[in-house]
């Protein structure tokens, strides 16, 4: 039986990328239906990060990179800091409408966190779309359509309704909430609980 997994994330959040690695492994071992939902750590239209915050992030980055390598086996090569992720969220809704939302979202995360690309640029998003078999020749015009921005806002509103204050946040079977970039074993345990609620979790 397939289990739904709804994940609220922001593409520029390192822990959202790390959780994608755990979920990718879960997809390989279990029957899940993964859906990505928009969440903006810096809401659309926010001013650029100031120098003090940039310095804070710069100081924290080496520890995050080391942790990603040690615990998740990935070599981080981060894209530009402080970019607007709204276009990437819109593009995910566009890809989702064509049945490729999951693959596209993972391609965007990889582009930013493994390839150091600027995912606020249409050409980068187009390349991600093409990598999962989508025709991105008119992507810029498509993303200008109001329905995709409205879909992003719906995700954000639903996160507020569910009282999700941070990301990543993964909801299994519309019932079990897992917060943070948990390792594969945690997700596998929650998935088993979703499949058999009578079974005690580890």
């Amino acid at each position: 039986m397939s289990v739904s997994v709804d994940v609220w994330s922001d593409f520029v959040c390192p822990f959202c990328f790390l959780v994608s690695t755990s979920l990718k492994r879960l997809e390989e071992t279990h029957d899940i239906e993964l859906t990505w939902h928009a969440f903006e750590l810096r809401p659309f239209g926010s001013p650029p990060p100031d120098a003090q915050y940039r310095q804070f992030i710069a100081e924290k980055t080496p520890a995050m990179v080391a942790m990603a390598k040690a615990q998740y086996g990935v070599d981080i090569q981060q894209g530009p800091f402080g970019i607007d992720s709204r276009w990437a969220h819109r593009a995910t809704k566009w890809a989702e409408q064509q049945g490729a939302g999951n693959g596209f979202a993972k391609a965007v995360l990889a582009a930013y966190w493994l390839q150091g690309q600027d995912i606020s640029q249409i050409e980068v998003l187009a390349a991600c779309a093409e990598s999962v078999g989508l025709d991105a020749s008119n992507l810029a015009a498509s993303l200008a359509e109001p329905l995709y921005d409205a879909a992003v806002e719906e995700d954000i509103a639903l996160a507020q309704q569910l009282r999700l204050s941070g990301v990543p946040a993964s909801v299994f079977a519309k019932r079990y909430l897992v917060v943070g970039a948990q390792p594969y074993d945690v997700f596998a345990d929650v998935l088993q609980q979703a499949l058999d609620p009578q079974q005690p979790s580890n």
Side-chain angles (χ1 to χ4, degrees):
M1 181 180 69
S2 180
V3 174
S4 65
V5 183
D6 293 275
V7 187
W8 273 262
S9 69
D10 196 350
F11 292 106
V12 295
C13 161
F15 299 103
C16 295
F17 168 67
L18 294 177
V19 83
S20 76
T21 67
S22 297
L23 291 169
K24 179 181 178 182
R25 184 178 171 193
L26 194 69
E27 285 183 291
E28 295 169 349
T29 57
H30 297 77
D31 184 8
I32 65 173
E33 183 178 347
L34 186 57
T35 302
W36 296 85
H37 297 275
F39 190 104
E40 293 176 314
L41 293 175
R42 296 183 62 80
F44 182 58
S46 296
D50 60 24
Q52 183 177 4
Y53 185 69
R54 287 180 177 275
Q55 179 63 28
F56 171 78
I57 293 297
E59 292 172 354
K60 296 293 184 181
T61 294
M64 183 273 292
V65 170
M67 182 271 291
K69 178 65 173 178
Q71 297 183 23
Y72 294 85
V74 292
D75 293 306
I76 295 293
Q77 184 178 341
Q78 183 179 351
F81 178 72
I83 62 174
D84 181 5
S85 62
R86 175 61 71 109
W87 284 104
H89 286 304
R90 288 179 183 173
T92 303
K93 294 304 174 185
W94 167 81
E96 187 177 287
Q97 191 178 60
Q98 300 176 73
N102 180 23
F104 177 79
K106 289 187 288 188
V108 174
L109 284 164
Y112 185 76
W113 289 104
L114 297 180
Q115 301 159 19
Q117 298 189 49
D118 183 349
I119 59 168
S120 68
Q121 301 301 308
I122 289 293
E123 58 269 24
V124 173
L125 297 174
C128 291
E130 290 167 357
S131 75
V132 295
L134 296 176
D135 179 4
S137 56
N138 294 314
L139 183 60
S142 297
L143 297 188
E145 294 290 336
L147 74 159
Y148 298 116
D149 205 52
V152 172
E153 290 293 341
E154 287 177 11
D155 275 356
I156 294 170
L158 183 54
Q160 294 173 344
Q161 181 181 331
L162 295 173
R163 298 182 179 179
L164 303 179
S165 58
V167 287
S170 307
V171 181
F172 285 69
K174 312 296 182 185
R175 181 178 178 184
Y176 301 92
L177 171 64
V178 181
V179 177
Q182 301 297 337
Y184 165 82
D185 290 342
V186 171
F187 284 125
D189 185 52
V190 174
L191 181 61
Q192 187 59 45
Q193 184 73 7
L195 288 168
D196 185 6
Q198 304 306 316
Q199 179 74 23
S201 59
N202 294 331

